[in-house]
Structure formats: C-alpha cells, structure tokens
Amino acid sequence: MSNASLPLPSPDRADAAASLRKALLAADFTADGLLELLGAPAYTALARGETVPALRATRADGALAALVRLFLLQETVPHARVADVLPVDVLLDSGWLAGQDAGVRATVDVRPYGGPGGEDWFIVSDLGCAVGGAGGIGIHDEGVVLGVGGASTTLAGITVRTPVDSALDLGTGSGIQALHAAQHATRVTATDLNPRALRFTRLTLALSAAPEADLREGSLFEPVGEETYDLIVSNPPFVISPGARLTYRDGGMGGDDLCRSLVQEAGERLNEGGYAHFLANWQHVDGEEWQDRLRSWVPRDCDAWIVQREVQDITQYAELWLRDAGDHRQDPTSYARRYEAWLDEFEARRTRAVGFGWITLRKTGAAEPSVTIEEWPHPVEQPLGETVREFFDRQDYLRAHDDAALLAAHFKLADEVVQEQVGLPGAEDPEHVVLRQHRGMRRATKVDTVGAGFAGVCDGSLSAGRILDAIAQLVGEDPVLLRDRTPAQIRLLVEQGFLLPVQG
C-alpha cells in the first residue's frame, strides 16, 4: 500500500489533537528534548536519514524513547508501553494510531519543530517522508506529503515577519509556512494542488495549537482568484524535470516556467508594501545571461532582491533528483533511460546549468523600482527576515537621496562590521582593506584608503561631506574632486548594509 492511499487522522477531531499535544509535551517530545535524549551524533544522524544511532539510543524504557520509536522511527511499539504515555483509545479512534493489542504504530510522521520564539510545534507528514526522516531517500508516490527540510527552513528564515492582515502560503505541503505566518498574520490562506497536503496542513496547525487557515485546493494562484495579500510565500515544486512525475517537487511546466509564472503573477496579488518570498530554480541558457533571464521575470511595480545560492551543471542536477526519487536503486536500464530523458530535456532547451536561490519581491509605488540580482554562495546567518526588510528600507533611502543629499547625510558604521588589512608580511602599507560583516549576509567588500577612513569615523556626528573634507585635507587631495568621486562608494556601502543612515 502506498503512502498516498493511507487514511489520515481526522482533522476535525480537535479533542484528539489537543490530547496528543498535551501528551507529547508532557513527555518532552520537543526539539530540545530529542537532542537531550539522543545526543548530538544520533540527533544529527536522524536528520540525515540514518536511524541506527537513534534506535540504539531508545532501547531503554521511557516515555520519550517510546514516542521517538513510534513517530520518528515508525516502529511498532507494544500497546502497554504506548498506553503509559498516550491516550491510546482516543488516538486509535481518531486515526493518529493504528494496530491491535499486541502493538500500535503511527499513521503519520509527527516531528517536533522549534518555533522562532521558542514555541513547541509539530510538523505532520507522510510516513518516511520527513526530509531526512526514517524513510530516507526514495519516494515514488505522486501524492505524498513531505515534512520539513532545508528548503522549508530556508524560506521560513528569509521571510519578513512584520505583523500583517493577510498572508498566502502557496503550495503549502505539510503547512510549515502557514504555521509561521499564523504567528504574525491575522488571516492565513494556504493552497495546494494536492488535497492530501491540505489535510496535513490542518493537522500540523491543530497539533501545534495554531489558528486555523483558510485551505483551498488548486494550482498556483487559481484558488485565490483576484484576492490580494500583504505577504505571499511559496516553496513551489520548482524542479526542472522531463514531465510532472512527482507532485511534491515537479512543477509540470516546461523548464523554469512554473517559477517564472509565480514571480510574474505575484505583483498583482500583493498589496502596496507587501512582500513575496519564493525559492526557485532557473535555467542557465546558452547565449543568455542568467541575470537578464531573472530580471525579465520581475513585475514592473515591484522592487526585487534575487540571490543565487548554488549552480549545478546539468549532470549534477539530474543525478541529484534521480537520487531523490530513489531511481539509482532501481534497474540500471530504467535509471539510464530516465537520466537520458533529463539530458534530452536540457539539450532541447539549450540549458547548460541550473541555478537555485531566493527571490523576494516588494510591491512599490516608486517610479523606478530597484532590482538587485547577485550571486552569494557563502554562509549566511539565519533567520534573515529582518536583514531582508532592512535591505528594502535602504533601497527606499537611496532612491530618495541623490549624491548631494548623500553628502549632507549622516551615517554610522554597522555594529557587526570589522576591518581587515590584507598585504604581504612586513609591508608598510596593506595591498587592500576589507570591510566584513559578522551578521546577516556576512558580506565582505574591498574599499580604498579613503573608503576605509570614511567608514572608520562614521559615528553619526558628522555629515558625509564634512568627513570627506577632513580626509581630503589629511591626504592632500582636492576636496571638490573627492566629493565628486566618493558618493558611488558610499551608495554601495549603504546598499550592502555596512553604513546605516542616521538622523543628523
């Protein structure tokens, strides 16, 4: 029997979800509790899909060990052992558990998830389909619903979390983004092409004691018609593949058309000042700059910040997703045939590589929206939601200040910035100076001696022009020429968050 054909717990049994939640918390079945029970090696191994260390760590009796074996390792556990921990009769009747007197088993994967404010949440997904869960890689059922993975947490981390009236989680899956949005949005709408996913979202919200969402079945923006939102988030089925074999990952449109459609159509669904956050894949096509491809996706009434985090050549990309589906474990002839189909698809579209990254839009009334597209494969500090919001605030500031206004403005060096001097040992002067952030995007940028000196004395007390005049006097340079050539460097340092505008 496939996962997609298994019955699900009743989402209408609020009493069962509340009883289960109470029991899970009483047994410390939380992210912190699991780490303490399993230890770091077994805990991280479980996240990689390796279950042996966790099985060894849960041999002893105990409430938490029984729950780990039941819900995370999908073991059949003796009825008496479970009855000491859970309201078994209620959970059997409502469908959370199945089995007989000899032993019971979970019908779904229930995974502890720590909220950003320390909340104890639970993500419900199909058995063996939690990313990094007990089932590992190798999912063939089209209708299965996955749990939390790296993509899910990445999207949650980059989302701006200001209070809003309305939020849309498009392609909700197991409901992780809707759960986050429910903490700061008055109304949450969650959509999915897969009706099974909508039921899982209800279970996730109920078991996490979160407000209910307005759940709608359908593809892309079709279920919401012309409604508009203050926040839109989507971890869509962005994989570029030959066909739509697996609903949870394959978009069913040619190439990167699904991601393009999402981005292009998001502008008319956003309220003024609203944000849209997407994870996406995009093609690197022969004869075309990938930046130009993405720039053409951005709605005309939106600012955009697009960050390419990774690039894979077409063979790496095909192998990654063939392994994701477990095709490498099947008949070699079948595997080769599927591999050929991927390469044929890429060849037909003149695709040489595939990029992955984040796309953030903000609806703006500006006459000239800003579009920033960059490659940043380096480590960042999550969550980045506040960093994203501040980035767009700085775009507003720079748009409103010409060079003369910048010179009259006051700035301070961001707290997390340090200066590094790079050069040969023993050299009197450094070859170059680097400013480096230790928070957020963790950027590093080279500056000349004037830029380093300027940033070093920015404490908000003097205007940029007065600081440059003082530097000109120290280095014997014409102050007028220095004022003419420096605003571009100031603008870059402000855009990247090294310098912060302050009230003069």
Side-chain angles (χ1 to χ4, degrees):
M1 181 182 293
S2 71
N3 265 327
S5 63
L6 289 173
L8 293 180
S10 171
D12 298 318
R13 287 288 302 273
D15 62 320
S19 297
L20 176 56
R21 176 178 175 80
K22 182 178 179 180
L24 295 178
L25 294 178
D28 203 19
F29 188 69
T30 63
D32 290 340
L34 289 184
L35 180 59
E36 183 175 350
L37 172 70
L38 301 179
Y43 185 85
T44 54
L46 187 60
R48 297 191 302 268
E50 297 292 343
T51 61
V52 172
L55 285 166
R56 290 172 61 87
T58 55
R59 286 173 176 170
D61 290 337
L64 183 54
L67 293 177
V68 171
R69 283 185 169 256
L70 186 66
F71 287 115
L72 298 186
L73 303 178
Q74 280 104 55
E75 295 279 307
T76 297
V77 181
H79 187 284
R81 189 176 179 189
V82 177
D84 289 339
V85 186
L86 299 175
V88 175
D89 291 340
V90 172
L91 298 180
L92 286 170
D93 183 58
S94 58
W96 288 93
L97 301 178
Q100 299 175 350
D101 292 343
V104 296
R105 65 186 186 279
T107 60
V108 290
D109 184 295
V110 175
R111 196 152 298 251
Y113 179 80
E119 301 92 346
D120 289 317
W121 292 339
F122 300 96
I123 309 302
V124 187
S125 64
D126 267 312
L127 294 172
C129 295
V131 180
I137 298 173
I139 300 166
H140 297 277
D141 294 337
E142 291 186 6
V144 298
V145 178
L146 271 63
V148 178
S152 303
T153 56
T154 293
L155 179 59
I158 66 173
T159 300
V160 175
R161 297 296 176 190
T162 53
V164 294
D165 178 61
S166 57
L168 170 64
D169 176 14
L170 193 152
T172 187
S174 56
I176 174 64
Q177 308 306 328
L179 180 56
H180 275 278
Q183 311 309 304
H184 63 104
T186 304
R187 296 179 293 107
V188 176
T189 302
T191 71
D192 205 290
L193 181 64
N194 182 2
R196 187 175 178 84
L198 298 178
R199 295 189 65 187
F200 270 112
T201 295
R202 287 191 66 186
L203 295 172
T204 290
L205 295 174
L207 195 56
S208 300
E212 291 187 3
D214 178 6
L215 305 178
R216 305 185 192 181
E217 181 182 344
S219 177
L220 303 181
F221 288 105
E222 180 270 331
V224 301
E226 298 182 357
E227 296 176 33
T228 58
Y229 299 86
D230 302 311
L231 174 67
I232 299 172
V233 292
S234 182
N235 177 18
F238 53 68
V239 175
I240 300 171
S241 62
R245 180 172 157 222
L246 299 174
T247 304
Y248 73 88
R249 72 168 201 192
D250 301 328
M253 296 186 182
D256 51 19
D257 283 354
L258 182 137
C259 293
R260 175 185 56 78
S261 297
L262 273 179
V263 175
Q264 288 181 335
E265 296 175 17
E268 61 191 38
R269 266 70 175 204
L270 279 175
N271 294 325
E272 188 71 22
Y275 287 91
H277 303 274
F278 305 101
L279 300 185
N281 273 173
W282 44 80
Q283 298 171 134
H284 286 226
V285 178
D286 284 333
E288 175 185 83
E289 295 294 330
W290 67 269
Q291 296 93 334
D292 293 338
R293 183 180 192 84
L294 290 174
R295 189 171 286 107
S296 71
W297 292 7
V298 178
R300 293 183 179 180
D301 54 357
C302 289
D303 292 328
W305 185 17
I306 301 174
V307 182
Q308 180 166 272
R309 296 288 289 159
E310 183 180 2
V311 180
Q312 292 183 315
D313 68 48
I314 56 175
T315 59
Q316 290 175 308
Y317 189 82
E319 291 162 14
L320 169 67
W321 295 110
L322 286 167
R323 286 181 175 274
D324 170 79
D327 291 316
H328 63 301
R329 299 175 179 174
Q330 307 304 311
D331 173 65
T333 302
S334 175
Y335 174 80
R337 185 173 61 252
R338 291 191 187 278
Y339 202 150
E340 287 275 6
W342 284 75
L343 297 184
D344 288 344
E345 173 80 4
F346 287 132
E347 182 178 344
R349 297 182 179 278
R350 299 183 297 112
T351 301
R352 53 183 172 79
V354 177
F356 166 81
W358 320 324
I359 299 177
T360 297
L361 306 177
R362 184 188 60 167
K363 187 71 167 285
T364 179
E368 297 184 12
S370 67
V371 178
T372 301
I373 303 175
E374 61 178 318
E375 187 165 12
W376 191 253
H378 311 293
V380 299
E381 183 188 48
Q382 284 276 34
L384 278 170
E386 187 62 14
T387 298
V388 172
R389 186 192 64 77
E390 291 171 349
F391 173 86
F392 285 98
D393 286 348
R394 293 194 300 273
Q395 295 299 316
D396 287 339
Y397 177 87
L398 292 171
R399 193 157 39 208
H401 288 72
D402 59 16
D403 287 354
L406 280 183
L407 293 174
H410 295 237
F411 302 95
K412 70 172 183 177
L413 190 66
D415 292 336
E416 73 276 7
V417 176
V418 298
Q419 176 178 302
E420 301 174 357
Q421 295 185 348
V422 181
L424 294 174
E428 183 176 349
D429 297 314
E431 293 181 10
H432 58 264
V433 176
V434 174
L435 298 181
R436 186 179 301 277
Q437 300 169 346
H438 286 278
R439 302 292 300 274
M441 292 293 288
R442 294 177 174 169
R443 295 185 185 277
T445 188
K446 291 182 181 179
V447 292
D448 58 22
T449 54
V450 170
F454 178 86
V457 298
C458 278
D459 61 3
S461 61
L462 296 175
S463 69
R466 289 187 63 186
I467 293 174
L468 290 177
D469 290 343
I471 292 175
Q473 186 174 6
L474 285 173
V475 301
E477 188 169 341
D478 185 332
V480 175
L481 294 178
L482 191 60
R483 280 174 171 254
D484 284 344
R485 70 177 176 86
T486 306
Q489 190 169 189
I490 296 174
R491 194 171 291 276
L492 177 63
L493 292 175
V494 171
E495 180 179 6
Q496 295 188 345
F498 290 95
L499 293 178
L500 307 178
V502 298
Q503 296 294 326

